[in-house]
Amino acid sequence: MRLCIGIAGTLILASIGLATTASAAVAPEAPAFVGLAHQTTLALDGAASSWILTSTALVLLMTLPGLALFYGGMVRRKNVIATITQSLGVAAVVTLAWFIAGYSLSFGVGQPMAGYSGETVNAYIGSLEALFLNGVTPTTAHSLTPGLPEYLWIAYQLTFAIITPALIAGAFAERIKYSGLLLFTGLWTLLVYAPICHWVWGGGFLGAAGVLDFAGGAVVHVNAGVAGLVCAVFLGARKGYGQTPIVAHNPVLTMIGACLLLVGWIGFNAGSAWTPDSIASVALLNTLLAAMAGSLTWKIVEVMEKRKPSLIGALSGLIAGLVAITPAAGLVDPKGAAIIGLASGPVCYAASVWIKKLLRYDDSLDAFGIHGAGGILGALLTGVFASAAVNSVGEGATLVKQAWGLGVTIGWSALATFVILIVCKFTTGLRVSAEQESEGLDGHLHGEVLEPA
């Protein structure tokens, strides 16, 4: 009996094993991922996606309404509506440009072209594979961030693309035609922002060479600041600049805008960790440290020169600290962040007040003085203070690499911006008439004016 039971059991187990083997043999293999060169299958990370959803909203808040109010409070009353409208116009144009080709050029993988290999092309520019976001689906992710839905990654990077040309508008405030601004923004997004973004973040040659830019020191701030300086010189000074006082009409609006920028910058810097981890945490703390340090040292320099700390000065120092820490936020420890912030106040004050006065260019709202100078300072100091103990990416950081990246960024931004300005000058035109400038852009360009005070 026992022998019969044993034989029966053996036969049953054998039959189960054969069935399992047969089942495994006929089970279809998972299909290989088929997508665009930059894509991979989405492996959803809920925590990371939630953080980037939040960060996207925060970075958008930086432009609308943060930067709009920050700039709007610093211009004269007759140009407030025009200045705020510029931020909205920039956001609209960049969003469509990003959808059409900006994302694909920035984060696509370059394809073989004109006899050059795909690898060679990719060092300089992405592809046109994802024009109009073709090939992007709810199940795809960018290979850089396989845990994030690609649609979310596109939206997050879009907010960076929006604020960059919006910053430039501060350099030529109170004297540019709205149509000229819109054309300039579309061309600049595709011909300047997209290539530099790709070089640093999208797999291009600067990132491959070890140039570090955690959240946009070169890609956003230096790029915008240099372009702003070229625009300010190209358009010329505002009527009466240097001869009659040009006073901010409402520093309270600037205060509100600066505070919105500060809050939004959390998504800008801590969000650039792409997940809510220890790197995001140190980036957040570093952002707050540098901002407050920059505000303090700007006020100290201002008091030494003018005997009074102005509200707009304190807010300018706050933004200077934020700009300077941006390339280093997730790469340095808090001591390094504090030093960067403390240095940003005097450096940006000098660029915004002394150097501008010495060279006699009209950078209306200090786009270069704060974003250009602060971004250059922060990018260089990233090479000094980057720590592998904070972020392994900081291993091998050097001042020389950072300077090389800045040189390339400054050169391309300046040259391409100049060419785009020439195109705009002979198509839409750039500068408003002397009469429009004297009477104010609000009524002439937009048919709306603030009630008299």
Side-chain angles (χ1 to χ4, degrees), residues 71-149:
Y71 279 171
M74 288 196 287
V75 297
R76 290 166 290 185
R77 187 178 182 84
K78 62 185 179 180
N79 297 317
V80 178
I81 292 172
T83 301
I84 290 176
T85 304
Q86 287 175 358
S87 291
L88 182 58
V90 166
V93 171
V94 174
T95 298
L96 291 176
W98 194 249
F99 160 70
I100 294 168
Y103 172 70
S104 190
L105 292 171
S106 299
F107 289 99
V109 175
Q111 302 298 302
M113 182 175 61
Y116 293 97
S117 68
E119 183 178 357
T120 299
V121 173
N122 189 59
Y124 298 98
I125 196 65
S127 71
L128 296 177
E129 283 189 308
L131 285 179
F132 298 96
L133 304 188
N134 289 327
V136 178
T137 75
T139 60
T140 60
H142 196 286
S143 58
L144 291 171
T145 55
L148 303 180

Side-chain angles (χ1 to χ4, degrees), residues 305-394:
E305 182 181 22
K306 300 179 180 178
R307 304 301 178 190
K308 293 181 180 179
S310 68
L311 173 58
I312 287 183
L315 297 173
S316 296
L318 181 84
I319 302 303
L322 289 168
V323 169
I325 196 58
T326 293
L331 299 167
V332 303
D333 62 23
K335 292 186 289 295
I339 294 170
I340 291 171
L342 291 169
S344 69
V347 168
C348 292
Y349 185 93
S352 301
V353 179
W354 300 332
I355 294 176
K356 183 169 71 170
K357 188 175 182 180
L358 177 67
L359 299 181
R360 298 182 182 179
Y361 59 84
D362 184 11
D363 178 5
S364 307
L365 307 179
D366 297 317
F368 177 77
I370 292 177
H371 298 279
I376 290 169
L377 173 71
L380 291 174
L381 293 182
T382 299
V384 176
F385 294 110
S387 169
V390 173
N391 188 333
S392 60
V393 175

Side-chain angles (χ1 to χ4, degrees), residues 4-101:
C4 291
I5 292 172
I7 293 172
T10 301
L11 291 173
I12 291 171
L13 290 173
S15 65
I16 292 172
L18 289 171
T20 303
T21 302
S23 175
V26 298
E29 293 183 3
F33 175 76
V34 178
L36 305 182
H38 68 268
Q39 291 177 330
T40 188
T41 303
L42 173 65
L44 184 65
D45 183 331
S49 297
S50 297
W51 174 229
I52 298 304
L53 279 166
T54 303
S55 295
T56 301
L58 288 171
V59 181
L60 182 60
L61 181 75
M62 292 174 69
T63 304
L64 299 171
L67 186 69
L69 294 176
F70 182 74
Y71 279 171
M74 288 196 287
V75 297
R76 290 166 290 185
R77 187 178 182 84
K78 62 185 179 180
N79 297 317
V80 178
I81 292 172
T83 301
I84 290 176
T85 304
Q86 287 175 358
S87 291
L88 182 58
V90 166
V93 171
V94 174
T95 298
L96 291 176
W98 194 249
F99 160 70
I100 294 168

Side-chain angles (χ1 to χ4, degrees), residues 93 182-193 420 423-424 427:
V93 171
L182 298 184
L183 177 60
F184 173 85
T185 298
L187 294 174
W188 196 89
T189 299
L190 296 177
L191 300 178
V192 183
Y193 182 83
I420 291 169
V423 172
C424 294
T427 51

Side-chain angles (χ1 to χ4, degrees), residues 271-299:
S272 291
W274 305 344
T275 190
D277 59 8
S278 60
I279 295 175
S281 301
V282 74
L284 168 59
L285 177 58
N286 287 343
T287 299
L288 299 177
L289 272 171
M292 300 310 165
S295 181
L296 181 62
T297 52
W298 182 296
K299 283 189 287 188

Side-chain angles (χ1 to χ4, degrees), residues 176-256:
I176 193 169
K177 295 174 66 175
Y178 193 61
S179 57
L181 170 75
L182 298 184
L183 177 60
F184 173 85
T185 298
L187 294 174
W188 196 89
T189 299
L190 296 177
L191 300 178
V192 183
Y193 182 83
I196 292 177
C197 178
H198 182 79
W199 297 346
V200 178
W201 291 337
F205 71 98
L206 291 182
V211 175
L212 299 178
D213 188 358
F214 187 76
V219 176
V220 175
H221 296 292
V222 174
N223 196 4
V226 170
L229 178 60
V230 173
C231 290
V233 173
F234 190 91
L235 267 72
R238 289 168 289 179
K239 187 176 180 180
Y241 177 74
Q243 300 168 356
T244 58
I246 299 179
V247 181
H249 94 284
N250 193 338
V252 175
L253 279 186
T254 300
M255 171 69 179
I256 295 169

